[in-house]
Amino acid sequence: MNKKLIALCATGLLMASAVTVHAEDTMHTIYTTGTAKISVPADMATFQVTVDSRADNASEASSANAMTMAKVRRAVIAAGANVSRLETTGYSVSPEYRYEKNGKSVLTGYRAHNVLKVQVDNVRITGKVMDAAVDAGASYVDSVSFGLKDPAMYQDRALAIATKAALRKANVMAQSVGKRIISTVSLYDQSENEEPTVQYRTMKLAAADNAVARPETTLEPTEQEISASVGATFQIN
């Protein structure tokens, strides 16, 4: 290849590069954002069951607590709790004291404290499961919350809606100036990626007298709110 031909080829490459850069510089784009917010009925509930046992010594308090918690565990499972999601979140055995007027402390016994987290996959029976725990000897039930078993599925749904909203806005903007969208340049997920809002309710339930029938505890599940935000750039003709 002679020097003249090499020079021509090099010149052609430079011109092609210049044309490409120029085309990118003059690309006409529209940037829009899209948001979405959806409400989804809760499909799971969690709550904590606490068993407190007291005795003259630590061994007796621990044994009594273990027996009661075993009953509670069997009861909530029979009532419909998710056995694979039962979780002990706290356990302790500690001395208890009474303080005299002269400032002296007197040992009065020992307390065993056991906390079990319970998940219910059918929110309609949450009250039933809670009542079963109390009837089996739980000291109290609290920290009731409603949530979603698969929040990612609903987050994806909200993201898709937000993306369509961004495209709709871009189409309106382009048509208003006699243009049309010819391609998508970029998409950005601007969501905060937070877990859906979980609503809490707290209550304490006293163990029922076996001789007195009491109505079943009823709870109203709350809806979970999920939001998404998208930033999008589109090329127009």
Side-chain angles (χ1 to χ4, degrees), residues 33-64:
T33 60
T35 59
K37 185 178 292 185
I38 60 176
S39 294
V40 183
D43 59 10
M44 61 165 282
T46 60
F47 59 88
Q48 292 190 151
V49 176
T50 300
V51 173
D52 279 331
S53 303
R54 289 174 172 81
D56 291 337
N57 59 67
S59 178
E60 289 179 359
S62 179
S63 296

Side-chain angles (χ1 to χ4, degrees), residues 97-236:
Y97 298 92
R98 182 183 72 250
Y99 292 92
E100 304 290 348
K101 291 182 178 180
N102 59 10
K104 291 183 60 176
S105 60
V106 179
L107 179 67
T108 58
Y110 288 81
R111 173 196 180 215
H113 180 79
N114 196 347
V115 183
L116 180 70
K117 183 179 179 180
V118 179
Q119 178 175 314
V120 181
D121 291 336
N122 180 355
V123 293
R124 291 175 296 179
I125 66 170
T126 304
K128 174 185 174 183
V129 179
M130 293 168 59
D131 289 341
V134 173
D135 292 340
S139 302
Y140 50 90
V141 175
D142 64 4
S143 301
V144 185
S145 67
F146 297 98
L148 300 171
K149 292 190 286 288
D150 186 11
M153 176 177 67
Y154 299 104
Q155 187 68 49
D156 290 347
R157 183 183 301 178
L159 193 61
I161 295 172
T163 303
K164 291 179 181 178
L167 176 59
R168 178 185 57 79
K169 288 182 181 179
N171 274 314
V172 171
M173 294 169 66
Q175 291 170 8
S176 68
V177 292
K179 303 292 183 179
R180 63 183 179 85
I181 293 174
I182 59 177
S183 67
T184 301
V185 177
S186 61
L187 290 172
Y188 302 93
D189 179 6
Q190 298 178 337
S191 306
E192 295 182 359
N193 295 321
E194 296 180 351
E195 290 294 319
T197 303
V198 179
Q199 302 296 328
Y200 291 90
R201 296 185 181 186
T202 301
M203 61 182 62
K204 290 186 178 182
L205 304 176
D209 186 338
N210 290 333
V212 180
R214 61 179 171 82
E216 181 178 299
T217 299
T218 58
L219 296 175
E220 293 297 329
T222 55
E223 289 195 336
Q224 310 301 292
E225 191 173 89
I226 299 177
S227 59
S229 178
V230 171
T233 303
F234 301 97
Q235 183 180 359
I236 60 176

